[in-house]
mmCIF file with all atom_site columns, all heavy atoms in Angstrom:
data_model
loop_
_atom_site.group_PDB
_atom_site.id
_atom_site.type_symbol
_atom_site.label_atom_id
_atom_site.label_alt_id
_atom_site.label_comp_id
_atom_site.label_asym_id
_atom_site.label_entity_id
_atom_site.label_seq_id
_atom_site.pdbx_PDB_ins_code
_atom_site.Cartn_x
_atom_site.Cartn_y
_atom_site.Cartn_z
_atom_site.occupancy
_atom_site.B_iso_or_equiv
_atom_site.pdbx_formal_charge
_atom_site.auth_seq_id
_atom_site.auth_comp_id
_atom_site.auth_asym_id
_atom_site.auth_atom_id
_atom_site.pdbx_PDB_model_num
ATOM 1  N N   . ALA A 1 19  ? 72.554 54.194  12.418 1.00 76.00 ? 566 ALA A N   1
ATOM 2  C CA  . ALA A 1 19  ? 72.137 54.065  11.029 1.00 76.00 ? 566 ALA A CA  1
ATOM 3  C C   . ALA A 1 19  ? 73.107 53.148  10.301 1.00 76.00 ? 566 ALA A C   1
ATOM 4  O O   . ALA A 1 19  ? 74.282 53.031  10.689 1.00 76.00 ? 566 ALA A O   1
ATOM 5  C CB  . ALA A 1 19  ? 72.074 55.427  10.354 1.00 76.00 ? 566 ALA A CB  1
ATOM 6  N N   . GLU A 1 53  ? 46.309 23.410  21.004 1.00 75.00 ? 600 GLU A N   1
ATOM 7  C CA  . GLU A 1 53  ? 45.806 22.947  22.285 1.00 75.00 ? 600 GLU A CA  1
ATOM 8  C C   . GLU A 1 53  ? 44.316 23.234  22.379 1.00 75.00 ? 600 GLU A C   1
ATOM 9  O O   . GLU A 1 53  ? 43.785 24.089  21.667 1.00 75.00 ? 600 GLU A O   1
ATOM 10 C CB  . GLU A 1 53  ? 46.555 23.636  23.437 1.00 75.00 ? 600 GLU A CB  1
ATOM 11 C CG  . GLU A 1 53  ? 48.024 23.271  23.523 1.00 75.00 ? 600 GLU A CG  1
ATOM 12 C CD  . GLU A 1 53  ? 48.684 23.846  24.761 1.00 75.00 ? 600 GLU A CD  1
ATOM 13 O OE1 . GLU A 1 53  ? 47.945 24.295  25.672 1.00 75.00 ? 600 GLU A OE1 1
ATOM 14 O OE2 . GLU A 1 53  ? 49.927 23.845  24.831 1.00 75.00 ? 600 GLU A OE2 1
ATOM 15 N N   . LEU A 1 105 ? 18.822 -1.851  34.068 1.00 86.00 ? 652 LEU A N   1
ATOM 16 C CA  . LEU A 1 105 ? 19.123 -2.845  35.108 1.00 86.00 ? 652 LEU A CA  1
ATOM 17 C C   . LEU A 1 105 ? 17.988 -2.983  36.107 1.00 86.00 ? 652 LEU A C   1
ATOM 18 O O   . LEU A 1 105 ? 17.901 -3.996  36.820 1.00 86.00 ? 652 LEU A O   1
ATOM 19 C CB  . LEU A 1 105 ? 20.413 -2.459  35.842 1.00 86.00 ? 652 LEU A CB  1
ATOM 20 C CG  . LEU A 1 105 ? 21.685 -2.361  34.990 1.00 86.00 ? 652 LEU A CG  1
ATOM 21 C CD1 . LEU A 1 105 ? 22.845 -1.886  35.838 1.00 86.00 ? 652 LEU A CD1 1
ATOM 22 C CD2 . LEU A 1 105 ? 22.012 -3.697  34.339 1.00 86.00 ? 652 LEU A CD2 1
ATOM 23 N N   . PHE A 1 130 ? 8.649  -17.443 7.355  1.00 87.00 ? 677 PHE A N   1
ATOM 24 C CA  . PHE A 1 130 ? 9.387  -18.667 7.077  1.00 87.00 ? 677 PHE A CA  1
ATOM 25 C C   . PHE A 1 130 ? 10.122 -19.100 8.343  1.00 87.00 ? 677 PHE A C   1
ATOM 26 O O   . PHE A 1 130 ? 10.399 -18.289 9.228  1.00 87.00 ? 677 PHE A O   1
ATOM 27 C CB  . PHE A 1 130 ? 10.365 -18.474 5.916  1.00 87.00 ? 677 PHE A CB  1
ATOM 28 C CG  . PHE A 1 130 ? 9.702  -18.013 4.646  1.00 87.00 ? 677 PHE A CG  1
ATOM 29 C CD1 . PHE A 1 130 ? 9.691  -16.664 4.300  1.00 87.00 ? 677 PHE A CD1 1
ATOM 30 C CD2 . PHE A 1 130 ? 9.075  -18.913 3.810  1.00 87.00 ? 677 PHE A CD2 1
ATOM 31 C CE1 . PHE A 1 130 ? 9.077  -16.228 3.136  1.00 87.00 ? 677 PHE A CE1 1
ATOM 32 C CE2 . PHE A 1 130 ? 8.454  -18.492 2.635  1.00 87.00 ? 677 PHE A CE2 1
ATOM 33 C CZ  . PHE A 1 130 ? 8.454  -17.143 2.306  1.00 87.00 ? 677 PHE A CZ  1
ATOM 34 N N   . PHE A 1 214 ? 19.689 -36.215 14.460 1.00 84.00 ? 761 PHE A N   1
ATOM 35 C CA  . PHE A 1 214 ? 19.617 -35.061 13.571 1.00 84.00 ? 761 PHE A CA  1
ATOM 36 C C   . PHE A 1 214 ? 18.938 -33.905 14.299 1.00 84.00 ? 761 PHE A C   1
ATOM 37 O O   . PHE A 1 214 ? 18.407 -34.065 15.398 1.00 84.00 ? 761 PHE A O   1
ATOM 38 C CB  . PHE A 1 214 ? 18.848 -35.417 12.289 1.00 84.00 ? 761 PHE A CB  1
ATOM 39 C CG  . PHE A 1 214 ? 19.591 -36.330 11.359 1.00 84.00 ? 761 PHE A CG  1
ATOM 40 C CD1 . PHE A 1 214 ? 19.369 -37.700 11.384 1.00 84.00 ? 761 PHE A CD1 1
ATOM 41 C CD2 . PHE A 1 214 ? 20.521 -35.835 10.460 1.00 84.00 ? 761 PHE A CD2 1
ATOM 42 C CE1 . PHE A 1 214 ? 20.054 -38.547 10.529 1.00 84.00 ? 761 PHE A CE1 1
ATOM 43 C CE2 . PHE A 1 214 ? 21.212 -36.669 9.610  1.00 84.00 ? 761 PHE A CE2 1
ATOM 44 C CZ  . PHE A 1 214 ? 20.980 -38.034 9.638  1.00 84.00 ? 761 PHE A CZ  1
#
Side-chain angles (χ1 to χ4, degrees):
E600 294 186 14
L652 300 176
F677 303 98
F761 289 96

